[in-house]
Amino acid sequence: MSKLFVSKRTSAAAWVILLVLPALMAAFGYYHSHRPAVNPVGSRTFWDYVILNSDILLGLLFLLASAIPFILVFDKKKPQARELVPIAVMAAIGVVGRTVFEIIPLPNFKPCSAIIIITAVAFGPEAGFLTGALTAFVSNFIFGQGPWTPWQMFTWGLVGFLAGILKNAGVFAEKNRPHFTARLWDRLCPENTNRGDLLHFVRQLTDHAPLRLCLYGFLSGFLYGWIMNLYFIIGYVSPLTWQTIGAAYLSSFFFDFCHGLCTFLVLWALGDPWVRKLERIKIKFGLTAEERNYVLPPSTFEIARENYE
């Protein structure tokens, strides 16, 4: 268990978040179905505006709760900008990807889950959970905030959290067998020739992320859709029977399949080089667990001051 998380504090906080957030979602679902009416414009009170903006307020609460495990990673010092910038950049890329892929006619064909999974594989489950929640919250300022926002934040956070856990457990350690690396190929296609350039291109084309990671990305599309179906069933399906529940899940199959297919293709094409670049960033800026928790020894001046006191 110690290998799955950075420290015992982060593991405890992560499991608490996974237990507390579903309870908050269930409570908000009940509140949404019994939300009190507000007064007309001109006679509204402070609580009327709180009710009208309760979706964004709960989203902020979810975002704060999602950041707790990530912040506790830095249990020996405060997080610095260099630790927070990569997470913010990956979340921004997820928002842009969700917006740009809107032009594709396939429903729910968006790379957000793949970007969140890549972040979790490179930076850990805590960062994956925070990136997923942040991506959903920020992108919904474009696609619309609503009672679905906390569910999307939790679901995408869970996708990243599980990806980081599986990576730390060694599930994605599988590496594809390198292709076209025999000496015969170097003789047939020597360097600095057209054939050598073609061989280099083919080697890059066949250097992809582990198949297990891609398969998890495909299944994450269905995981995301099935959890979001619970929001739809709880809030809008009536009467609640096995037939209506089955119809809700059956109607979302094509959406979930397109989501999983996009995630699979993005991980297959970009997962391996993207993770390697993020690993280089971790090493260059000292973002590994050992370096981020390293405390400098006291200086000569500090020792002299302590002795004087």
Side-chain angles (χ1 to χ4, degrees):
M1 179 63 72
S2 59
K3 296 181 180 180
L4 302 182
F5 300 93
V6 176
S7 65
K8 293 182 179 180
R9 295 177 64 188
T10 57
S11 63
W15 288 118
V16 169
I17 294 302
L18 290 179
L19 294 177
V20 171
L21 290 186
L24 287 177
M25 289 192 300
F28 183 68
Y30 177 83
Y31 164 78
H32 178 65
S33 59
H34 298 80
R35 181 180 298 184
V38 297
N39 296 318
V41 179
S43 59
R44 288 178 178 170
T45 63
F46 171 77
W47 292 110
D48 292 332
Y49 289 102
V50 172
I51 294 173
L52 290 173
N53 295 281
S54 58
D55 299 331
I56 296 180
L57 294 176
L58 188 67
L60 290 172
L61 177 62
F62 265 66
L63 191 61
L64 178 62
S66 303
I68 292 175
F70 179 75
I71 293 176
L72 288 180
V73 171
F74 311 93
D75 52 0
K76 292 186 179 180
K77 67 173 184 175
K78 295 181 179 180
Q80 301 177 2
R82 63 179 182 178
E83 286 99 6
L84 301 178
V85 167
I87 306 302
V89 170
M90 296 302 292
I93 295 174
V95 174
V96 173
R98 186 182 181 189
T99 306
V100 172
F101 274 63
E102 187 69 16
I103 64 176
I104 296 180
L106 293 176
N108 214 19
F109 194 85
K110 296 177 176 63
C112 300
S113 296
I115 297 172
I116 294 167
I117 292 172
I118 290 173
T119 307
V121 170
F123 295 103
E126 300 86 1
F129 194 95
L130 177 60
T131 304
L134 187 61
T135 300
F137 182 72
V138 176
S139 63
N140 276 354
F141 282 101
I142 301 174
F143 293 92
Q145 299 284 351
W148 52 84
T149 299
W151 289 79
Q152 290 178 325
M153 294 174 66
F154 172 77
T155 306
W156 261 327
L158 182 63
V159 168
F161 181 80
L162 292 179
I165 292 294
L166 293 176
K167 188 264 182 181
N168 291 345
V171 176
F172 302 145
E174 168 200 10
K175 291 295 292 183
N176 292 336
R177 182 177 60 85
H179 302 280
F180 305 102
T181 56
R183 294 183 179 180
L184 176 63
W185 290 107
D186 293 326
R187 295 175 182 176
L188 295 177
C189 304
E191 295 183 359
N192 301 323
T193 62
N194 292 334
R195 288 176 296 169
D197 295 339
L198 179 61
L199 177 62
H200 179 72
F201 174 75
V202 172
R203 284 174 175 172
Q204 286 187 329
L205 194 64
T206 56
D207 184 18
H208 300 299
L211 180 61
R212 294 178 183 177
L213 179 63
C214 299
L215 290 177
Y216 171 77
F218 179 76
L219 295 177
S220 68
F222 288 92
L223 175 64
Y224 176 88
W226 289 349
I227 296 179
M228 291 304 299
N229 285 344
L230 293 177
Y231 154 74
F232 172 74
I233 291 171
I234 294 173
Y236 299 98
V237 174
S238 180
L240 197 60
T241 63
W242 289 112
Q243 289 78 10
T244 56
I245 294 175
Y249 277 92
L250 185 62
S251 62
S252 70
F253 175 81
F254 186 63
F255 292 82
D256 302 336
F257 178 80
C258 291
H259 187 185
L261 179 62
C262 180
T263 306
F264 181 94
L265 293 177
V266 173
L267 290 175
W268 180 76
L270 302 176
D272 187 65
W274 207 337
V275 169
R276 281 192 274 110
K277 287 179 174 59
L278 292 177
E279 292 289 343
R280 289 180 59 187
I281 292 175
K282 287 173 57 178
I283 297 174
K284 181 177 180 179
F285 295 100
L287 303 183
T288 59
E290 294 78 7
E291 292 176 336
R292 71 159 58 113
N293 287 330
Y294 177 71
V295 179
L296 291 175
S299 62
T300 305
F301 174 76
E302 292 174 342
I303 296 175
R305 184 180 62 181
E306 291 178 359
N307 295 332
Y308 175 78
E309 295 175 350

